[in-house]
Amino acid sequence: MNKKRELQKLNTSMHEMCTCKLKATAINVVSGKGSADADIVFIGEAPGKKEDEKGEPFIGAAGKFLDEMLGSVKLSREDIYITNVVKYRPPDNRDPSPQEVEDCWMWLCGQIDLIDPLLIVPLGRHALERFVPGQKISEAHGNSFRREVSGLGSRDYFALYHPAAALYNGSLRETLIKDFSTVPKLLEKIKKKK
Ligand code: URA
């Protein structure tokens, strides 16, 4: 089976088998979207209202901002894969609990394992926390690092502020745009090391 089909199969199983309690209040599972051959996997926090209604990640205001930044480095949604640490919308968009993150972890691991990207980009503190517990996003943003994470082996990471946090905050917005602009060079560097 090719990668694309395998990823589709995984995402279908996610809908049928995920044990996350959020499933009871959500309309749709938001598994992820993009290329099964992506070099970069972007990982957000959890779906919001629009994402829940449509079953697609990052389709609201934060998603538009993300699209702008992707465009600025000559990337599109078709080149990357985008998903979240939590696959269902938490009621009223509250923060996901550590248990909810753990319940969805096997699906995120499965997606990363299949896509096998060169670079993982956690967006914001909730995503970062799952890969680097205790690390502050205000300190980690804009930094790349290689890290061993149980279930994923040793991989390259690049932390960014969450687009929703930066959307209406002038200085965070500028910082995120600046950090984002370094992605292509970082990817080239990683490719050269391979
Ligand atoms: N914010 C997220 O973290 N993920 C989405 O899919 C949408 C908004």
Side-chain angles (χ1 to χ4, degrees):
M1 207 191 298
N2 69 25
K3 251 173 134 177
K4 191 175 167 185
R5 293 265 314 275
E6 277 191 66
L7 190 57
Q8 277 168 349
K9 204 171 147 212
L10 177 81
N11 288 345
T12 305
S13 318
M14 188 184 302
H15 181 49
E16 288 160 5
M17 292 159 60
C18 188
T19 57
C20 182
K21 302 271 184 298
L22 292 173
K23 206 173 168 176
T25 50
I27 302 168
N28 280 302
V29 63
V30 181
S31 49
K33 207 164 179 215
S35 168
D37 293 309
D39 284 339
I40 313 176
V41 172
F42 288 85
I43 303 174
E45 176 184 327
K49 190 169 187 286
K50 284 200 171 139
E51 289 79 15
D52 183 33
E53 283 164 1
K54 215 164 164 215
E56 278 184 34
F58 283 93
I59 54 168
K64 282 207 183 86
F65 182 29
L66 183 63
D67 285 342
E68 273 173 39
M69 289 186 287
L70 285 169
S72 73
V73 295
K74 312 247 178 318
L75 286 173
S76 75
R77 294 259 183 149
E78 287 74 45
D79 303 313
I80 57 141
Y81 195 80
I82 185 147
T83 185
N84 288 297
V85 276
V86 166
K87 309 301 187 187
Y88 292 92
R89 180 191 181 204
D92 302 320
N93 296 345
R94 65 158 168 75
D95 288 350
S97 72
Q99 185 58 52
E100 287 154 1
V101 173
E102 274 329 288
D103 289 343
C104 294
W105 175 241
M106 68 171 276
W107 305 108
L108 180 59
C109 264
Q111 290 172 320
I112 294 171
D113 191 46
L114 257 172
I115 298 167
D116 194 20
L118 294 171
L119 184 62
I120 294 173
V121 180
L123 298 168
R125 64 190 171 100
H126 289 283
L128 183 65
E129 176 67 22
R130 186 56 191 82
F131 297 99
V132 197
Q135 175 73 62
K136 286 194 173 131
I137 189 69
S138 55
E139 288 164 6
H141 77 89
N143 292 313
S144 62
F145 49 93
R146 196 162 175 88
R147 187 173 172 85
E148 178 95 28
V149 173
S150 176
L152 293 176
S154 181
R155 294 186 171 276
D156 287 295
Y157 294 84
F158 182 58
L160 287 177
Y161 278 119
H162 194 291
L167 200 53
Y168 305 111
N169 177 322
S171 75
L172 276 197
R173 192 184 166 95
E174 252 176 54
T175 303
L176 174 54
I177 291 171
K178 189 164 161 265
D179 290 345
F180 208 103
S181 71
T182 67
V183 167
K185 266 201 181 140
L186 174 61
L187 197 60
E188 280 316 304
K189 209 168 123 193
I190 295 169
K191 278 183 185 167
K192 274 193 190 135
K193 274 197 286 170
K194 292 273 157 186

